[in-house]
Amino acid sequence: MSASIEQKAALKELLDAKIKRLEIEAARRSLIEFAKRVYPNYSVGAHHKIMARVFKDVAEGRKKRVIINIAPRHGKSELTSFLLPAWYLGLHPDHQIIMATHTASLSEDFGGRVRNLISSAEYADIFPETRLAEDKKGAGSWATVAGGKYYAVGVGGALAGRGANLLVIDDPHSEQDLKSGSKLPFEQAWNWYQTGPRQRLMWGGAIIVVMTRWGQLDLTAKLIDYQ
């Protein structure tokens, strides 16, 4: 006996629900699967998969210091500064993140996008326990109901009173720094790193630096020499 239309519809509903459940479980485990679910048009390349594996190690406490150097226009900021913080706070809603780029306005733009993503229904399906605190929803500074915090800052910006379980530095130098012909912007970035964000790291916290290389004076070079 063939199934009725009602039986087929019920079966399809059950299958759709199971597929959604499996996709949500995959999105919780994998940054790439998370990206596919909340950002359908995001183009995933081989380098993104490598970056995502490294970021998973950071999120799970296996890596504490990461430097990734990659050329411009390869989608590094979408993964590092937009998708990663949202996914990380889904896993750790009580953690604190400091997000830094070469300008405060760019960092705040990313902060607003991360905040809006966490507010979305798609995100709530994956991480229902991570929700924004109603009284703290500024683009560059906001919090979760679990006590997590996100703070956006430009390189050189003040960090007094801030802490971080995860410090993300995405392109600390601009092309204008290189074109200026001066060592000063690079020295300022290094001095800020030593006296600012590095001193704000919580016990057991991690630092991720993702950037385009600009020469032997840039932050990557300084960090390698420092080690």
Side-chain angles (χ1 to χ4, degrees), residues 1-16:
M1 180 188 298
S2 61
S4 66
I5 293 175
E6 291 79 8
Q7 288 173 325
K8 290 179 179 178
L11 181 58
K12 182 179 184 303
E13 186 175 339
L14 287 172
L15 288 173
D16 289 344

Side-chain angles (χ1 to χ4, degrees), residues 102 171-179 186 214:
H102 53 271
D171 274 337
H173 312 295
S174 68
E175 291 185 46
Q176 285 69 34
D177 291 341
L178 182 66
K179 292 177 180 177
F186 297 99
W214 295 110

Side-chain angles (χ1 to χ4, degrees), residues 3-202:
S4 66
I5 293 175
E6 291 79 8
Q7 288 173 325
K8 290 179 179 178
L11 181 58
K12 182 179 184 303
E13 186 175 339
L14 287 172
L15 288 173
D16 289 344
K18 183 174 183 179
I19 290 170
K20 181 179 179 180
R21 186 168 62 253
L22 291 173
E23 289 177 347
I24 286 173
E25 290 173 0
R28 291 178 68 92
R29 294 192 304 269
S30 164
L31 177 56
I32 293 298
E33 295 304 317
F34 173 78
K36 290 177 180 178
R37 186 152 187 89
V38 302
Y39 194 167
N41 295 323
Y42 184 65
S43 179
V44 178
H47 61 292
H48 296 128
K49 295 177 181 179
I50 295 171
M51 292 171 67
R53 287 197 294 269
V54 173
F55 294 160
K56 182 178 177 67
D57 284 342
V58 171
E60 296 180 352
R62 290 188 294 274
K63 282 185 170 62
K64 301 297 184 182
R65 300 292 185 272
V66 171
I67 299 175
I68 297 176
N69 297 143
I70 192 167
R73 311 308 301 169
H74 279 67
K76 67 179 184 300
S77 292
E78 290 295 278
L79 190 65
T80 304
S81 300
F82 172 46
L83 294 164
L84 170 61
W87 183 70
Y88 181 91
L89 285 172
L91 298 173
H92 307 288
D94 60 335
H95 279 202
Q96 299 181 40
I97 295 176
I98 291 176
M99 174 69 221
T101 63
H102 53 271
T103 65
S105 61
L106 181 58
S107 295
E108 289 174 5
D109 285 347
F110 281 120
R113 293 180 64 197
V114 176
R115 175 202 60 193
N116 293 344
L117 176 55
I118 290 176
S119 298
S120 70
E122 294 82 4
Y123 185 90
D125 281 344
I126 304 168
F127 295 114
E129 61 279 357
T130 300
R131 305 185 310 279
L132 296 178
E134 289 297 326
D135 59 336
K136 296 178 180 179
K137 290 188 177 181
S141 180
W142 42 265
T144 69
V145 295
K149 296 179 181 179
Y150 178 103
Y151 185 69
V153 66
V155 170
L159 288 169
R162 307 290 177 179
N165 300 99
L166 176 63
L167 167 63
V168 178
I169 302 177
D170 180 5
D171 274 337
H173 312 295
S174 68
E175 291 185 46
Q176 285 69 34
D177 291 341
L178 182 66
K179 292 177 180 177
S180 72
S182 171
K183 297 180 181 179
L184 185 60
F186 297 99
E187 292 174 349
Q188 289 174 333
W190 175 237
N191 290 336
W192 171 79
Y193 172 83
Q194 290 181 292
T195 60
R198 187 169 177 272
Q199 304 302 321
R200 300 297 167 185
L201 206 62
M202 309 286 275

